Amino acid sequence: KLQNKVALITGSSRGIGKATALLFAKEGAKIIVNYNKAEKEANEVVKEISKLGSEAISIKCDVSKEEEVKKMISEGIKKFGKIDILVNNAGIVYDVPLFEKTVEQWNKTLEVNLIGVFLCSKYAAPYLKKQKGSIINISSTNGLDTLSTESADYDTSKSGVISLTKNLATELAPNVRVNCIAPGWINTDINKRLPQDYIA
């Protein structure tokens, strides 16, 4: 289904991003694997993709940093010549009681989870327009209904992603299709620190 397409997937060294990268590669896409800290894991994903018979590159980038996002997009273009699909998946969460959360934690969550989506979409948009491509934003059911006050900053950021998706879809129509997915609780590394009875 994705033969000869190029997909940039943020936060794809593990979790939902990794699963998406491997599925897209199975469907024939070339993948730009983005990571911030997990270099070893990102390189493993690249190896797995090559075993599937597709091509991939790993690029370090903190999606909340504008200059790093610009650099990631240009490196991806240099390698593959185009971008057809952008999956805005990178995200962080601090599970801290609401009034114990610091402003720094709030800022970092919003910067990565929400401003990161804006930055990656902004700088990928010219290339996506050329390809009549698509953007897929990963929100969360937490963006629709709050499940825990300990993740209020995360919930707020994911609600923002839903609103931003609608604005991006309006701005980029009819050239780029923009959609949002809101997964529920998924058994990934981001949730490993939760209490076992809660996970169960």
Side-chain angles (χ1 to χ4, degrees), residues 14-164:
R14 51 193 169 193
I16 292 172
K18 176 183 175 180
T20 306
L22 295 176
L23 179 63
F24 280 21
K26 278 178 193 163
E27 291 291 347
K30 295 170 184 174
I31 311 293
I32 300 163
V33 176
N34 158 251
Y35 70 95
N36 186 24
K37 291 175 181 157
E39 182 177 12
K40 186 175 165 230
E41 290 89 341
N43 291 333
E44 283 301 317
V45 176
V46 169
K47 280 183 200 164
E48 284 185 56
I49 288 167
S50 69
K51 280 180 195 162
L52 292 168
S54 196
E55 210 178 333
I57 180 176
S58 68
I59 302 177
K60 176 177 166 53
C61 167
D62 178 342
V63 297
S64 70
K65 304 278 195 309
E66 188 169 15
E67 290 309 312
E68 290 189 30
V69 171
K70 285 186 191 173
K71 189 165 175 275
M72 172 175 67
I73 301 287
S74 68
E75 277 182 41
I77 292 296
K78 195 173 165 190
K79 171 70 177 172
F80 293 120
K82 62 173 187 164
I83 296 172
D84 298 279
I85 305 160
L86 167 64
V87 181
N88 283 308
N89 167 76
I92 60 167
V93 66
Y94 297 103
D95 288 308
V96 177
L98 179 51
F99 294 129
E100 289 176 28
K101 275 189 197 287
T102 63
V103 170
E104 287 74 23
Q105 285 170 330
W106 268 91
N107 283 341
K108 192 63 189 168
T109 301
L110 293 172
E111 283 167 7
V112 174
N113 296 5
L114 183 55
I115 296 171
V117 174
F118 164 69
L119 289 173
C120 291
S121 300
K122 176 178 178 175
Y123 290 109
Y127 303 102
L128 293 168
K129 280 182 187 172
K130 275 186 203 167
Q131 300 305 124
K132 295 209 177 304
S134 72
I135 296 173
I136 302 161
N137 294 330
I138 308 298
S139 177
S140 167
T141 49
N142 278 38
L144 299 166
D145 49 64
T146 303
L147 297 179
S148 168
T149 57
E150 293 192 348
S151 61
D153 50 344
Y154 177 85
D155 301 352
T156 302
S157 71
K158 292 301 187 177
S159 295
V161 168
I162 293 168
S163 177
L164 179 56

Side-chain angles (χ1 to χ4, degrees), residues 151-199:
S151 61
D153 50 344
Y154 177 85
D155 301 352
T156 302
S157 71
K158 292 301 187 177
S159 295
V161 168
I162 293 168
S163 177
L164 179 56
T165 299
K166 294 172 184 176
N167 281 283
L168 288 169
T170 304
E171 179 69 20
L172 294 170
N175 298 307
V176 180
R177 191 173 67 255
V178 188
N179 285 292
C180 185
I181 297 170
W185 291 85
I186 310 288
N187 188 20
T188 62
D189 287 350
I190 205 169
N191 291 323
K192 289 283 191 279
R193 295 182 304 276
L194 293 169
Q196 278 308 309
D197 58 337
Y198 191 85
I199 290 172

